[in-house]
Amino acid sequence: TSEFNLTDVLFFCRKAMENVVDDDVTKRFSPQKLDSWNLLTRNNHNFCHISLRLKVVWVLGLLLRYGVLLPLRWLRSCLSDKVHLMGCHICVRSLSAIITYHNRQNKPQNDGICVANHTTPIDGIILANDRCYSLVGQLHGGLLGMIQRAMVTSSPHIWFERAEVKDRHLVAKRLIDHVADKTKHPVLIFPEGTCINNTSVMMFRKSSFELGCTIYPVAIKYDPRFGDAFWNSSKFGLVRYLLRTMSSWAIVCSVWYLPPMNRKEGEDAVQFANRVKSVIAAKGGFVDLKWDGGLKRARVKEAFKEEQQELYSRLVVGVSQGADNAASDSAKES
């Protein structure tokens, strides 16, 4: 065995002193030291005055931060709304749009969701010309996607990737979180999911009506005599559609704000959606259809086929029973 020497403990003493002086854990909870000055604080208070020129720069930075940046950040929401409305006004004027808003006392508030019939991509601009909204929808590519990404930088819109749209729980959670924040604008949703040609209102998707929040119905009706606002997306791209719209005589429409509606006790989401759809159809003079607007691009679901077959079979059975009853009655009379 080796003999113990006093120098054997010096290694451990040195390590202990290094840990005390330069502790890898404790120093992680103190502000990071910068190599250069960022004009916010002095790195060393013993040298508060280095040169007059540097002090002037620091004072100017102080005035800029507290006199300009701080007020702008406090007023960001108000200024953002003003700029947003100004941009919508410019877009509406570029389309030569003549809009008549009715029943503005029913205008959507921050505690709910605004739902409207859908005819054209400019429906959102038509409504946002009167107040700010947070839009919700799928994130697209091309020109429309570029516009969506630009919009979200100034206002809390809700865009979903294509894969996220199919996750109903994720969509519902983000909508509920948004509506619960009273400082955010009401969510604007077009529950038909596609553009309809301004004559009918088709099936409303039930997801917007499952959240338990207040629904603000809005009916939008365009006058086709001055320009056809309907966007046939299977025939025209967005750029060509905008060109056709801006080259028309004018875009004339009426907007009706309807009284807020809430889900009744014992009413499911589908029944609530149909009730809201019926109110919008009646006010706008639309045909109230129960068919899914997604049939424009998809095949008819088997459930719809079976429902129609069942209705037809009932009709046939009813007619045959009526004929048998009539034949038996005539036989009795004879």
Side-chain angles (χ1 to χ4, degrees):
T1 59
S2 59
E3 296 182 357
F4 172 77
N5 294 319
L6 185 59
T7 56
D8 293 341
V9 301
L10 293 180
F11 171 78
F12 300 101
C13 293
R14 181 171 63 85
K15 285 295 183 181
M17 293 299 295
E18 288 177 353
N19 290 332
V20 171
V21 174
D22 190 18
D23 184 7
D24 288 338
V25 176
T26 306
K27 68 180 181 181
R28 305 305 174 190
F29 302 101
S30 59
Q32 181 183 2
K33 292 184 179 181
L34 301 177
D35 296 332
S36 60
W37 185 32
N38 59 5
L39 295 179
L40 291 178
T41 58
R42 297 288 188 181
N43 291 339
N44 193 332
H45 292 283
N46 295 325
F47 300 96
C48 291
H49 177 72
I50 299 177
S51 68
L52 180 60
R53 182 180 300 176
L54 194 59
K55 189 167 186 176
V56 169
V57 173
W58 178 77
V59 171
L60 290 176
L62 182 70
L63 295 176
L64 178 64
R65 288 187 290 113
Y66 284 91
V68 179
L69 296 181
L70 181 61
L72 284 178
R73 285 162 182 164
W74 277 103
L75 298 174
R76 178 183 179 276
S77 178
C78 180
L79 291 175
S80 176
D81 291 350
K82 294 289 185 182
V83 173
H84 180 80
L85 289 173
M86 187 183 303
C88 290
H89 294 337
I90 294 173
C91 292
V92 166
R93 286 179 173 83
S94 68
L95 296 171
S96 298
I98 302 173
I99 312 170
T100 305
Y101 297 97
H102 305 274
N103 305 326
R104 279 181 163 165
Q105 70 274 11
N106 297 325
K107 193 182 297 186
Q109 304 300 317
N110 291 2
D111 62 341
I113 295 177
C114 174
V115 298
N117 58 296
H118 198 23
T119 304
T120 164
I122 66 174
D123 286 335
I125 298 175
I126 297 296
L127 293 178
N129 183 62
D130 199 34
R131 75 146 300 158
C132 295
Y133 294 92
S134 292
L135 302 180
V136 57
Q138 180 179 319
L139 190 61
H140 295 273
L143 176 61
L144 185 57
M146 184 175 65
I147 296 174
Q148 288 178 309
R149 291 181 178 87
M151 291 171 61
V152 80
T153 59
S154 61
S155 185
H157 300 287
I158 306 174
W159 305 126
F160 296 95
E161 297 290 347
R162 183 181 297 273
E164 295 177 335
V165 174
K166 298 180 181 179
D167 190 344
R168 294 180 56 190
H169 297 288
L170 176 62
V171 174
K173 184 180 184 305
R174 291 186 62 181
L175 287 175
I176 292 174
D177 293 341
H178 184 101
V179 173
D181 189 348
K182 305 301 181 184
T183 62
K184 294 183 178 179
H185 303 307
V187 177
L188 175 59
I189 295 179
F190 301 104
E192 289 170 297
T194 188
C195 295
I196 311 300
N197 67 353
N198 197 40
T199 61
S200 309
V201 179
M202 302 192 76
M203 185 186 78
F204 279 7
R205 310 288 175 86
K206 66 176 183 178
S207 57
S208 308
F209 303 89
E210 294 176 326
L211 307 179
C213 58
T214 302
I215 299 294
Y216 293 90
V218 176
I220 308 173
K221 181 70 173 180
Y222 293 90
D223 191 339
R225 294 176 298 177
F226 302 95
D228 187 9
F230 170 59
W231 181 33
N232 188 350
S233 57
S234 60
K235 186 176 181 181
F236 301 111
L238 180 61
V239 175
R240 186 178 175 187
Y241 166 77
L242 292 176
L243 180 61
R244 287 169 53 89
T245 304
M246 296 179 70
S247 61
S248 62
W249 295 114
I251 298 297
V252 181
C253 70
S254 296
V255 176
W256 288 274
Y257 295 114
L258 304 176
M261 303 176 66
N262 290 281
R263 191 167 164 180
K264 295 180 180 180
E265 185 177 356
E267 187 178 41
D268 61 27
V270 175
Q271 293 171 337
F272 184 30
N274 289 333
R275 184 161 60 92
V276 173
K277 179 167 68 76
S278 299
V279 171
I280 293 176
K283 194 63 179 180
F286 301 110
V287 178
D288 188 357
L289 299 176
K290 64 179 180 179
W291 295 100
D292 187 358
L295 294 175
K296 181 168 63 174
R297 295 184 180 86
R299 298 180 62 183
V300 180
K301 295 181 180 179
E302 292 298 327
F304 283 118
K305 292 182 180 180
E306 293 174 359
E307 182 179 357
Q308 294 302 311
Q309 291 170 355
E310 183 177 355
L311 291 174
Y312 181 72
S313 63
R314 289 178 181 177
L315 179 62
V316 172
V317 171
V319 171
S320 62
Q321 288 180 350
D324 293 341
N325 294 333
S328 61
D329 292 341
S330 61
K332 291 179 181 178
E333 292 177 358
S334 61

